[in-house]
């Protein structure tokens, strides 16, 4: 027996809600690779849901259920975005630090290497 378009839409939003909830937990745990893997499934589900949503006519209860699910989805999505922004900032800082270290090494690499060599030959504290 086929599922009605209304039931299919509400089930779709429920699955989407579950998917976003899992993605949020992955973001909180810093599991970025797993989050990205989940994102493709989320996007496919959302795309399929858009198509189903066009066909369904929801009654008042269905509309309220859909609204509640959407509200929860959007709240989790916002927190995921905040986690991603924090991660992007963290990666930016790491890249800046790495860039500065590389620049210092390029500028002072030979001098720093000679200091390290002297220290190795004569002991610490020898310039």
């Amino acid at each position: 027996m086929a599922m009605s378009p209304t039931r299919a839409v509400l089930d779709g939003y429920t699955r989407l809600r579950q998917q976003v909830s899992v993605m949020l937990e992955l973001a909180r745990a810093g599991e970025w690779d797993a989050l990205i893997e989940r994102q493709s499934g989320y996007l496919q589900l959302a795309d399929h849901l858009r198509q189903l949503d066009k066909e369904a006519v929801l009654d008042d209860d269905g509309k309220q259920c859909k609204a509640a699910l959407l509200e929860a989805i959007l709240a989790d999505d916002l927190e995921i975005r905040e986690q991603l922004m924090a991660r992007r900032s963290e990666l930016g800082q790491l890249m800046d630090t790495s860039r500065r270290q590389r620049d210092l090494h390029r500028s002072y690499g030979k001098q720093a290497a000679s200091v390290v060599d002297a220290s190795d030959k004569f002991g610490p504290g020898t310039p």
Side-chain angles (χ1 to χ4, degrees):
M1 186 165 119
M3 189 181 302
S4 74
T6 299
R7 187 74 249 156
V9 166
L10 293 177
D11 284 352
Y13 278 105
T14 300
R15 285 193 320 261
L16 195 64
R17 169 72 179 105
Q18 292 166 345
Q19 182 81 346
V20 167
S21 180
V22 169
M23 290 171 62
L24 177 57
E25 290 307 312
L26 291 170
R28 286 176 177 161
E31 298 289 336
W32 308 112
D33 292 337
L35 175 64
I36 290 168
E37 288 175 19
R38 285 279 184 163
Q39 186 179 18
S40 64
Y42 168 82
L43 293 173
Q44 289 174 350
L45 184 56
D47 190 47
H48 178 68
L49 190 52
R50 259 185 240 110
Q51 308 241 337
L52 288 175
D53 215 3
K54 292 177 186 176
E55 301 170 13
V57 178
L58 300 174
D59 61 11
D60 287 342
D61 288 341
K63 288 177 185 176
Q64 286 179 343
C65 182
K66 178 182 169 182
L69 288 165
L70 276 172
E71 193 172 313
I73 289 167
L74 292 173
D76 284 357
D77 184 65
L78 178 62
E79 188 173 341
I80 290 169
R81 288 175 190 271
E82 289 170 351
Q83 295 282 337
L84 288 170
M85 295 295 283
R87 177 64 175 160
R88 184 178 76 178
S89 177
E90 178 183 321
L91 290 174
Q93 290 173 350
L94 289 172
M95 288 173 59
D96 286 344
T97 299
S98 177
R99 189 175 305 117
R100 274 181 275 162
Q101 287 175 343
R102 184 189 68 226
D103 291 346
L104 283 172
H105 182 69
R106 282 183 184 162
S107 298
Y108 302 102
K110 292 180 183 177
Q111 292 172 354
S114 67
V115 170
V116 171
D117 287 342
S119 176
D120 288 343
K121 290 179 186 174
F122 303 108
T126 305

